[in-house]
Amino acid sequence: MTDLDDTLYPCSTGIASACRKNIDEFLSKRLGLSNDVVTRLRSQFYKTHGSSLAGLRALGYEVDADEYHSFVHGRLPYHFIKPNPVLRNILLSMPQRKLIFTNSDTVHATKVLKKLDLEDCFEAVICFESLNMDYLDQQQNQDCNPLTSPVIIKPSIEAMKRAIAIANSDPQRTLFFDDNARNIAGAKAAGINTVLVGRCERSEGADYVVEDINNVKQVIHEIWGGAEKYGAKDKDSCSSGMVKSMEASPSPVVA
């Protein structure tokens, strides 16, 4: 499984900064606060709840998830995201199942994958709706108000477990790619094998480090059957292998 934003495309696109700006504007309009206050509030929400939507819900605000995502993602500069033929070829060459796992909504995920020309490279997209709306429907919880229900997203262990259940996969036979160190730590706590993307040094819980997603084949060549077990090297560098060996699987869920 792989994260989407700032993992399958570089953070230099400016999508993340534009998203933060839109969140600040949403909070300002919703709460009537000044820009400097909402910026601090957004940062606090992210640290304590994983997102501003989750933070607002936790404080008792009724916030429609579709309205929030439409405002935050609706005006993003998607034209800055370009097709990545190198990554496309890498993904198509992987023999394992491949799924997206993102906190974003399905509309945003679809737009990004289309811009990257990677729509047909993934079996499914596990997103906000999968973790929250679909889960509530499956539980048939008629007493739950979707406008006030707690938000389940990365890096919570609950989100990781729900993603694994949706993917119908074994966490010990799954590789999870993400650019966020907190998400990596959450996945490792849930028993998932992890790959930190976009860094040179390994964070807590990261089994692999890949500075550039396009170099994944050089760093984790075992995905393509190059060894009976994933590497057990212990190097703090961009080419570091796993801290501990992990038995290879004929069909693990990967990027």
Side-chain angles (χ1 to χ4, degrees):
M1 296 190 294
T2 180
D3 176 49
L4 182 68
D5 298 301
D6 295 336
T7 297
L8 295 186
Y9 63 85
C11 60
S12 59
T13 58
I15 297 295
S17 59
C19 190
R20 289 191 292 269
K21 181 180 178 180
N22 291 343
I23 294 173
D24 285 353
E25 186 175 343
F26 182 91
L27 291 174
S28 180
K29 289 185 175 181
R30 187 62 187 260
L31 303 177
L33 300 174
S34 62
N35 290 336
D36 58 331
V37 174
V38 296
T39 297
R40 292 196 300 270
L41 183 61
R42 167 178 51 76
S43 178
Q44 186 62 34
F45 278 157
Y46 174 74
K47 292 177 181 178
T48 57
H49 300 285
S51 76
S52 292
L53 173 59
L56 288 171
R57 291 271 189 89
L59 291 179
Y61 287 93
E62 290 193 357
V63 184
D64 182 81
D66 290 339
E67 176 189 356
Y68 174 83
H69 288 132
S70 177
F71 190 98
V72 170
H73 297 144
R75 298 169 297 166
L76 291 178
Y78 289 106
H79 58 279
F80 288 145
I81 302 176
K82 305 300 181 182
N84 188 339
V86 173
L87 180 57
R88 176 178 175 81
N89 288 334
I90 290 173
L91 291 170
L92 291 177
S93 71
M94 289 180 176
Q96 298 88 355
R97 298 170 59 211
K98 295 169 284 290
L99 298 92
I100 294 292
F101 178 21
T102 175
N103 283 340
S104 299
D105 62 305
T106 185
V107 172
H108 172 73
T110 299
K111 288 181 178 179
V112 171
L113 288 174
K114 184 174 182 179
K115 286 294 184 180
L116 289 169
D117 191 24
L118 301 178
E119 311 104 297
D120 59 336
C121 294
F122 296 94
E123 176 182 305
V125 175
I126 300 172
C127 57
F128 180 88
E129 291 89 341
S130 310
L131 297 173
N132 294 274
M133 281 71 162
D134 293 350
Y135 180 80
L136 291 177
D137 290 342
Q138 291 171 9
Q139 299 300 309
Q140 297 182 342
N141 189 345
Q142 302 300 325
D143 297 328
C144 183
N145 181 353
L147 297 181
T148 59
S149 61
V151 170
I152 304 300
I153 54 175
K154 297 179 291 184
S156 74
I157 295 180
E158 177 62 24
M160 301 298 176
K161 290 181 177 179
R162 286 189 188 182
I164 286 294
I166 293 170
N168 191 27
S169 64
D170 180 349
Q172 295 183 354
R173 299 169 66 183
T174 300
L175 280 175
F176 172 62
F177 293 70
D178 202 297
D179 67 292
N180 187 292
R182 295 176 65 214
N183 294 342
I184 289 294
K188 177 52 62 177
I192 304 170
N193 302 289
T194 58
V195 184
L196 180 63
V197 179
R199 311 286 183 88
C200 274
E201 295 185 357
R202 192 170 59 240
S203 67
E204 180 181 355
D207 295 314
Y208 287 99
V209 181
V210 178
E211 184 178 22
D212 187 328
I213 191 66
N214 287 350
N215 295 333
V216 65
K217 195 166 186 177
Q218 287 75 25
V219 178
I220 321 176
H221 58 85
E222 296 89 346
I223 291 175
W224 288 264
E228 292 183 359
K229 290 187 177 183
Y230 289 103
K233 298 178 181 179
D234 188 6
K235 300 178 181 178
D236 288 317
S237 69
C238 295
S239 61
S240 66
M242 285 190 77
V243 180
K244 60 181 180 179
S245 62
M246 179 181 73
E247 290 187 2
S249 161
S251 57
V253 180
V254 297

